[in-house]
Amino acid sequence: MKNILLSISIALSLTFSYYYITDTRAGIHQWVVVPSLRWFYNDAEDAHEAGTRALKVLHSFGIHPRERGRPDKAGDLQIKVFGHNLSNPIGTSAGIDKHADVPSPLLALGPSIVEIGGATPYPQEGNPKPRVFRLPSQNALINRYGLNSEGADFVAMRLRQRLREFAYTEGFGIDNTAEQQVLNGEAGVPPGSLVEGKLLAVQIAKNKFTLDDDIDAVKADYVYCVDQLAKYADIIVVNVSSPNTPGLRGLQKVEPLTNILRGVVLAAKATDRKTKPAVMVKVSPDEDTDKQVSGVCEAVWESGVDGVIVGNTTKRRPDPLPPGYKLSNKEAAVLLEQGGYSGPQLFERTLSLVKRYRRLLDKGPLNQAGNVSGADEALDPVSGPKPADDAEASLLRKIEDRVRQGADRKTSLQTTSGAQQDETSMAQPLIRLPEYSSLVSSSPNSESNITPLSASHHLNGPSAQPEDEQTLGKKPATSKVIFATGGITNGAQALEVLKAGASVAMIYTALVYGGVGTISRIKAEMRDEMKQKKA
């Protein structure tokens, strides 16, 4: 009898331990695992790699952390992005999984979007180590990775292997035919994430040795990455904003950016599967003058990309939080390290940039007469930092003048030719927050009197007519999608960027410091905030 009771006790203890440890809500992940990694690994990059290896091994045995209880089942955080109904508006930024080692374990933590990369055409080592530094008192990081990558071919090989394993598990087989069936949507899940209600974004970048002033060579770098990776992605993210690759941010100027993005869009539309990946461009928080912001928006409209990811690490060094806090001598020295800063202090700048991009993108492209197409009324821009040279005319102000002069030439936003989606695809997210107003109106035929936070639209399929670089960006205007990243650490902040016009709030540093339960915590805080607003 004692042996039986002992066996039962051991079985119950093991079962409880399994469910506790593999639940993202367990406090052990934040208060034990994260501090232990920092204690064992003095180098932040080594700690990150150890965490990645652990997730990969645990997932292979089916004992990885995951979001339990299906909190998204209620649909209260549901959004629609690029024609996909997503379970929630939270994503993880690139850098957490640079080489496509753990996309599936990351998706299991609860986000609706996981961004991997960035991947470059050829493998490159990045900058010398050490290149990642912690500021624990600020929950912040400084990194100068320099886009270390195992190369687009290697990343594509990993993603292809993941897809084939999924095809085999689902009964399609493991050959080329099975792969193509899953890519064409016959499994009933997005071909990138392979999970219903979730998407996989793949970030791409140019090689460090590709000359910045040779735009054709730069474009060829990005197009090569698209050719290798687009089949296995739901979203392609064009990185022109890393602060650790010399000359990369210079590509955000209108002419080179438009040229590069056109090439990427054309390559994405040629992807060998029924549905095509959306294309987004990731922009820097430091290029924030009126001329720079409006220039990016002009390139977005001219090239035909689907949206913008607002934010990346910054070269600036913000003041410590809380105001007046004095850093230790060790952290003060870390603050002098070269690289991109990421941490809670970036939130206000991210929020401001989302408002500015949302307002300007919603005005639509300039038409041939020099007016803003699709603008029903002149809207004052959300002002940002003034340019250093006031004599430099701001394209944003020029656009404003043109809108006022041509306000009588109102042009309604139309969907692109070949649209196969119903009208409800325009109204997104579907998060119900009566107190929050939307910058983009919902469908006029909607029966609900609740205004959604924002709206987006994507024609995720082949065009009705062939396209080339001359026809891109010339179609009727459709709403562009915004993802926000930079300084988002809690549910209230996530709701703020959604209210400002973003469709998805992405996290990076918060996950590094908060552990695998961070996404579950943020979503729970969002729900609590929404309940308080309704009360």
Side-chain angles (χ1 to χ4, degrees):
M1 180 63 71
K2 287 183 178 180
N3 289 337
I4 293 175
L5 290 175
L6 180 61
S7 299
I8 292 174
S9 298
I10 292 173
L12 289 174
S13 297
L14 291 174
T15 302
F16 173 80
S17 298
Y18 167 76
Y19 279 100
Y20 176 77
I21 293 173
T22 59
D23 192 329
T24 58
R25 297 167 295 182
I28 189 174
H29 299 301
Q30 180 177 3
W31 306 113
V32 177
V33 175
V34 172
S36 296
L37 282 172
R38 290 211 302 259
W39 187 78
F40 279 108
Y41 298 94
N42 187 53
D43 182 83
E45 184 175 0
D46 290 343
H48 185 93
E49 290 177 351
T52 300
R53 287 194 300 271
L55 271 179
K56 191 172 184 177
V57 171
L58 291 172
H59 186 265
S60 67
F61 288 101
I63 54 175
H64 56 288
R66 68 205 72 181
E67 189 172 63
R68 294 193 179 276
R70 300 183 66 187
D72 293 333
K73 186 178 180 181
D76 53 349
L77 295 182
Q78 185 181 5
I79 60 171
K80 179 164 275 191
V81 174
F82 302 135
H84 297 274
N85 288 314
L86 305 186
S87 56
N88 65 77
I90 303 300
T92 62
S93 296
I96 294 175
D97 184 10
K98 283 181 165 290
H99 312 301
D101 288 305
V102 287
S104 295
L106 287 178
L107 286 164
L109 301 182
S112 66
I113 293 177
V114 165
E115 181 189 4
I116 65 168
T120 55
Y122 288 98
Q124 60 182 31
E125 294 184 359
N127 293 321
K129 297 181 178 181
R131 53 194 180 185
V132 186
F133 309 91
R134 305 185 189 105
L135 289 117
S137 73
Q138 302 299 298
N139 285 341
L141 294 170
I142 293 174
N143 89 78
R144 52 171 180 260
Y145 277 114
L147 284 171
N148 57 308
S149 172
E150 294 178 342
D153 295 279
F154 197 87
V155 173
M157 180 184 68
R158 278 206 177 114
L159 293 176
R160 185 185 188 192
Q161 178 65 22
R162 174 175 174 264
L163 185 140
R164 289 200 165 195
E165 289 175 358
F166 173 85
Y168 181 77
T169 302
E170 295 297 310
F172 289 94
I174 202 167
D175 56 6
N176 291 335
T177 301
E179 177 183 343
Q180 198 62 42
Q181 285 178 302
V182 175
L183 288 174
N184 287 335
E186 294 183 29
V189 294
S193 71
L194 305 177
V195 180
E196 184 180 1
K198 302 191 177 188
L199 300 177
L200 180 70
V202 178
Q203 185 190 114
I204 60 174
K206 78 175 190 70
N207 276 117
K208 194 173 184 177
F209 54 76
T210 302
L211 298 178
D212 304 314
D213 54 0
D214 187 347
I215 298 303
D216 288 337
V218 171
K219 181 168 70 172
D221 270 15
Y222 286 100
V223 169
Y224 182 84
C225 291
V226 174
D227 291 342
Q228 305 307 310
L229 294 163
K231 281 205 300 186
Y232 311 109
D234 302 307
I235 305 169
I236 290 292
V237 179
V238 180
N239 182 0
V240 289
S241 58
S242 170
N244 301 308
T245 301
L248 188 65
R249 289 188 169 183
L251 299 177
Q252 291 181 92
K253 295 178 181 177
V254 179
E255 292 80 6
L257 183 59
T258 303
N259 195 347
I260 293 166
L261 293 180
R262 279 177 171 166
V264 170
V265 169
L266 283 173
K269 287 181 178 296
T271 303
D272 183 20
R273 70 183 200 207
K274 287 184 177 179
T275 60
K276 314 302 179 183
V279 177
M280 303 186 77
V281 58
K282 192 166 193 173
V283 298
S284 163
D286 296 335
E287 276 61 48
D288 57 0
T289 65
D290 287 345
K291 182 177 181 179
Q292 289 167 329
V293 172
S294 58
V296 169
C297 293
E298 181 181 341
V300 165
W301 281 115
E302 286 294 317
S303 62
V305 303
D306 302 284
V308 179
I309 297 182
V310 176
N312 203 326
T313 58
T314 177
K315 289 183 177 180
R316 301 171 183 175
R317 294 296 181 262
D319 294 331
L321 291 174
Y325 180 86
K326 186 176 180 180
L327 297 175
S328 66
N329 291 335
K330 181 180 179 180
E331 289 192 336
V334 168
L335 202 62
L336 299 177
E337 292 286 352
Q338 185 178 1
Y341 184 100
S342 58
Q345 295 96 330
L346 272 63
F347 174 72
E348 293 300 330
R349 179 167 293 274
T350 299
L351 182 63
S352 173
L353 284 171
V354 168
K355 292 177 180 178
R356 295 170 67 194
Y357 274 101
R358 181 77 279 158
R359 186 71 64 87
L360 193 53
L361 284 172
D362 285 349
K363 292 174 183 175
L366 289 174
N367 60 28
Q368 293 180 348
N371 298 311
V372 178
S373 172
D376 285 342
E377 58 182 337
L379 298 174
D380 292 332
V382 178
S383 62
K386 300 297 182 184
D389 184 2
D390 290 335
E392 188 177 61
S394 167
L395 179 58
L396 179 60
R397 294 191 181 91
K398 290 181 180 179
I399 292 175
E400 291 299 319
D401 292 340
R402 289 168 182 168
V403 175
R404 293 186 179 95
Q405 294 168 5
D408 57 334
R409 303 179 185 180
K410 301 178 181 179
T411 307
S412 300
L413 291 177
Q414 305 290 332
T415 55
T416 49
S417 59
Q420 302 296 320
Q421 310 210 25
D422 56 46
E423 295 179 5
T424 58
S425 69
M426 292 295 293
Q428 83 80 9
L430 306 177
I431 302 174
R432 300 302 190 239
L433 278 180
E435 294 78 10
Y436 287 164
S437 61
S438 174
L439 289 171
V440 183
S441 62
S442 59
S443 169
N445 298 323
S446 174
E447 297 178 0
S448 172
N449 59 358
I450 298 172
T451 307
L453 287 175
S454 63
S456 67
H457 178 67
H458 176 62
L459 300 177
N460 206 0
S463 302
Q465 298 178 354
E467 289 182 294
D468 55 28
E469 293 197 22
Q470 283 67 47
T471 61
L472 286 174
K474 305 302 182 184
K475 293 184 175 182
T478 57
S479 181
K480 301 297 182 182
V481 176
I482 294 177
F483 292 176
T485 181
I488 300 168
T489 61
N490 57 57
Q493 291 176 335
L495 288 173
E496 278 197 75
V497 296
L498 297 179
K499 175 185 175 183
S503 297
V504 173
M506 307 186 80
I507 62 170
Y508 172 62
T509 311
L511 186 60
V512 171
Y513 278 94
V516 297
T518 302
I519 296 160
S520 297
R521 172 183 60 80
I522 288 176
K523 292 193 295 184
E525 291 171 350
M526 292 175 69
R527 292 185 173 97
D528 290 342
E529 184 83 6
M530 291 161 63
K531 289 177 183 177
Q532 291 176 11
K533 293 287 185 181
K534 290 179 180 179

